[in-house]
Amino acid sequence: MRVRSWRRSWQERSKMERIDLYSRFTISCIPWLFALSWQGAPFQSDIRHAPLPLTLGVALLLVSLAQCLLSNRNLSASYEHYLTVSVFPQRRLLAPVTLLVVSVGLLAALAAADGVHGAGLLLMTLNAPMALVITRVLLVPVRRFLIESLFLTALITSALAAAGVRGGTLAGVVPCSLFGCVLVLISVRPSAWSMSVMWQAEQARDIQARLAVAEERLRFGRDMHDVLGRNLAVIALKSELAVELAQRGRPEAVDQMVEVQRIARASQQEVRDVVRGYREADLSTELAGARGVLSAAGIECAVTGDSGEHLPAPVQSALGWVVREAATNVLRHGDPRHCAIRVRVTADAVTLQVENDGATAATAGATASDGPGSGLAGLRERLGALDGSLEAGHAKGGGLFRLTATIPLGDRGWPEADSGRPGRPGANGPLGAAGSGGALGEGGASGSGGALGAEGLRPGTVVAPGVMVGPGPGLVEGRR
């Protein structure tokens, strides 16, 4: 299941990387497309076929292609800057700005030499700021980009007006220059924003998974602390008491060490209970976990029927393992899209049914080929201990695989469920007895909550005949 989950995670990340690569490739193609179309089209009819106009036009085209190269070179750095991965080095804008000024100068010179007609001049005006603004739009906020676009428009218009462009052609320069900048704004920036949102969602999923692992570790550590913390404190206190009694030649030292041995063995058993409870499968938890795992894998999962919270603990544990193994098989075998989990509880039996589509012809053989103690064979052993049964195979209609587990309830004497979490020390633990027979032996006076609380014993508490807790860190001998 972990391999399958890792594989799906890797596939999702690979898909994200392909989308990111496609987005960057598309943006990098935009300046080349505009340079070859808007800068090259006027050569056919709009540029006057004379040595000087053709020379200026070719020079302007070469400068535009150089701008495209610089734009592609800076695209990755500007993209990372927008995604807040790194900071764009501003010195890399020096060359594109210089080429923009050169291209505007060549365009003005071409217009001054009367080498291009109105329509061709407007097309070249459209292309002039494209390469630079594709990089710039990812580096600054929208408001500042619009202000810079107005400045570029004013620069181009002023240069062409100084070159002698007048009338409707000069009036058309303003919207053409602004159109190129706005076109870049509405095409490049939304694409980068979409990729930013997708990567943030991917990072959020990774962080959520890490937090879930950390939370589970904290829970397990808290349970272990609850079990061992007080017991170890009692062991330390009784060992100190036994040492002092032994130094005085008191025979009660042996009794105290016997009590230490008993508490140590009880603590060992409680640790085993914590680990066992940590590994036990709970039906409602497993149902929620299976639905979450399958949904995360792109499989629509529907859980219907009884939640099973009132079922006996052994029945819940066995059915929880069935849900866990069934979810694993759904992920491992076939190509499912839908999965249905149904729990039906009656007075005589409880039935759990897991059904999924996308089952191949080898699914039944694959799920039944596990060795003893694992897979469906292991589930049959677990259910057999409760007189239950397990059926697995293809359902009628084709393409459906159905797994059905049944456990009879009847009038069996099921053990009562513990009131607390599995493995937590309860009222029946070695620290739960009050008065005599408690963890501190004869004379203990710590109440029903255990012989030693989280704050330790109060000064003056009698812990053995003739021995009490002193005001300091040690023990004192009292009056008989």
Side-chain angles (χ1 to χ4, degrees):
M1 182 175 179
R2 291 182 180 179
V3 175
R4 181 77 174 192
S5 177
W6 174 85
R7 184 183 303 170
R8 288 182 179 273
S9 177
W10 178 83
Q11 290 175 350
E12 291 294 332
R13 188 168 186 86
S14 178
K15 185 186 299 182
M16 286 282 298
E17 291 176 351
R18 289 197 298 269
I19 296 175
D20 184 89
L21 179 62
Y22 171 77
S23 177
R24 298 190 187 205
F25 176 76
T26 303
I27 296 175
S28 65
C29 289
I30 291 177
W32 294 95
L33 177 64
F34 291 154
L36 294 176
S37 57
W38 292 349
Q39 200 71 43
F43 279 92
Q44 184 176 1
S45 58
D46 294 320
I47 295 180
R48 184 165 55 89
H49 289 188
L52 181 58
L54 288 176
T55 301
L56 293 174
V58 171
L60 184 57
L61 178 60
L62 293 177
V63 171
S64 298
L65 295 179
Q67 286 180 293
C68 294
L69 287 174
L70 288 177
S71 176
N72 290 164
R73 177 176 176 268
N74 294 331
L75 177 62
S76 178
S78 60
Y79 217 91
E80 301 297 332
H81 180 91
Y82 182 83
L83 297 177
T84 66
V85 175
S86 61
V87 179
F88 184 86
Q90 295 298 323
R91 64 180 182 275
R92 298 180 67 171
L93 288 177
L94 181 61
V97 171
T98 303
L99 289 179
L100 175 62
V101 174
V102 172
S103 65
V104 173
L106 290 174
L107 184 60
L110 185 61
D114 195 21
V116 62
H117 299 295
L121 180 62
L122 294 179
L123 283 177
M124 292 181 175
T125 302
L126 278 171
N127 180 68
M130 292 296 294
L132 175 63
V133 297
I134 285 178
T135 300
R136 193 64 179 167
V137 73
L138 297 176
L139 302 179
V140 296
V142 175
R143 182 177 180 180
R144 183 174 176 181
F145 177 78
L146 292 176
I147 294 175
E148 293 180 356
S149 300
L150 292 175
F151 177 78
L152 284 176
T153 300
L155 174 65
I156 297 173
T157 305
S158 301
L160 293 179
V165 179
R166 297 289 184 272
T169 303
L170 183 61
V173 170
V174 176
C176 287
S177 300
L178 284 177
F179 175 77
C181 297
V182 174
L183 180 62
V184 170
L185 177 63
I186 64 177
S187 59
V188 175
R189 196 172 179 96
S191 176
W193 176 81
S194 300
M195 289 307 307
S196 174
V197 172
M198 294 176 66
W199 281 118
Q200 288 177 4
E202 182 69 18
Q203 293 173 0
R205 283 193 290 268
D206 294 340
I207 293 175
Q208 185 179 9
R210 295 192 188 101
L211 289 177
V213 173
E215 183 180 357
E216 184 61 20
R217 288 175 177 172
L218 289 174
R219 187 197 68 80
F220 186 73
R222 186 170 59 249
D223 288 352
M224 292 295 294
H225 176 271
D226 292 343
V227 169
L228 293 180
R230 293 176 295 176
N231 288 17
L232 291 177
V234 173
I235 290 175
L237 182 62
K238 281 187 166 293
S239 299
E240 182 183 356
L241 174 61
V243 169
E244 294 196 13
L245 291 175
Q247 290 175 350
R248 290 174 171 80
R250 301 283 294 276
E252 291 87 348
V254 177
D255 298 334
Q256 295 299 324
M257 292 308 301
V258 170
E259 186 69 14
V260 167
Q261 184 182 26
R262 186 190 68 80
I263 296 176
R265 290 177 177 175
S267 300
Q268 184 181 19
Q269 182 60 41
E270 286 192 349
V271 171
R272 291 173 180 171
D273 292 340
V274 169
V275 176
R276 186 182 302 114
Y278 182 73
R279 294 177 178 175
E280 281 181 356
D282 178 71
L283 180 57
S284 58
T285 302
E286 292 299 328
L287 288 174
R291 179 166 50 190
V293 169
L294 295 177
S295 299
I299 303 172
E300 182 180 352
C301 181
V303 179
T304 58
D306 200 302
S307 63
E309 295 180 352
H310 59 283
L311 293 175
V315 177
Q316 287 200 49
S317 179
L319 294 181
W321 279 102
V322 173
V323 173
R324 186 180 300 180
E325 181 66 25
T328 302
N329 289 336
V330 170
L331 292 173
R332 289 175 55 190
H333 305 296
D335 187 19
R337 289 294 177 265
H338 303 277
C339 178
I341 303 177
R342 307 179 186 91
V343 181
R344 186 168 61 91
V345 180
T346 63
D348 299 326
V350 55
T351 302
L352 171 68
Q353 188 177 87
V354 181
E355 186 178 276
N356 64 278
D357 60 358
T360 61
T363 300
T367 55
S369 62
D370 299 320
S374 63
L376 299 185
L379 294 181
R380 289 189 175 94
E381 293 176 3
R382 291 178 180 274
L383 296 175
L386 302 177
D387 298 331
S389 61
L390 182 71
E391 297 178 0
H394 286 278
K396 295 182 179 180
L400 293 178
F401 187 84
R402 182 179 299 162
L403 183 146
T404 304
T406 304
I407 298 179
L409 297 177
D411 296 327
R412 297 180 58 177
W414 300 104
E416 295 182 0
D418 295 335
S419 58
R421 292 175 59 94
R424 283 192 181 271
N428 296 326
L431 298 182
S436 61
L440 293 179
E442 209 172 6
S446 61
S448 61
L452 183 64
E455 301 297 330
L457 296 178
R458 295 187 300 272
T461 303
V462 178
V463 295
V467 180
M468 69 176 61
V469 178
L475 304 171
V476 297
E477 186 175 1
R479 296 180 179 178
R480 295 188 179 180

